[in-house]
Amino acid sequence: MLSVSPGSCVLPSCGMAEVGDFVQLPVPVIQQLYHWDCGLACSRMVLRYLGQLDDGEFESALRELRLTRSIWTIDLAYLMRHFGVRHRFCTQTLGVDKGYRNQSFYRKHFDTEETRVNQLFAQAKACKVLVEKCTVSIQDIQVHLAQGHVAIVLVNSGVLHCDLCSSPVKYCCFAPNGHRCFCRTPDYQGHFIVLRGYNRATGCIFYNNPAYADRMCSTSIGNFEEARTSYGTDEDILFVYLDS
């Protein structure tokens, strides 16, 4: 049984699952189209994995939820709720961390987004969007994946390194086609990925990176933990379940 510390999550499950040595779920890869829509691409991957992706309905949902070029993890939780997908959004900050105001990654949209995002958090319970302030362990994540479920995780892409790719993804890879790029990597670059498995023997995590269209990625648990707990991520993780 998993030990629980104060402020930690106990993830809901259909009984206590055994954590096997190897899990690799058949989550399809969908590439992002722009530098800002990695979270939407991850949502498409998850919905397709669940057999619920209809492009027309997805675009309609984006309009209804008024999702624009600034996508936060709470937006993705509302998107899952819109499609009736059981979910659990775990984070360290229930709202917007005012300390991000001066970070280059957040600065452009901070003033206009702060009120909107805080309102989403405030209305989450009434809208049946499950949000909890808690710490999630790698063991929690492995139990979740072992049951066939997936998760969308916010990471610092400047820290995350794939062991299977011949070369690391650079910040400029997230720029739309045809746009000039100066390849200046900021201190923090928020990026969403989809977790799809792990190998306990080699100590690695399998994930889909929406920057690519043709591969599954893998990294060490140590590198994954560093990337997902970097300042700027709030340790956001959106657990998604197969059953509604």
Side-chain angles (χ1 to χ4, degrees), residues 127-139:
C127 295
K128 298 183 179 180
V129 174
L130 184 56
V131 182
E132 184 173 347
K133 181 179 180 180
C134 61
T135 298
V136 175
S137 71
I138 191 65
Q139 290 78 19

Side-chain angles (χ1 to χ4, degrees), residues 23-25 145 149 194-199 204-207:
V23 173
Q24 190 176 117
L25 303 174
L145 294 170
H149 309 311
V194 178
L195 300 188
R196 58 181 292 178
Y198 60 85
N199 186 333
C204 69
I205 289 286
F206 301 131
Y207 62 95

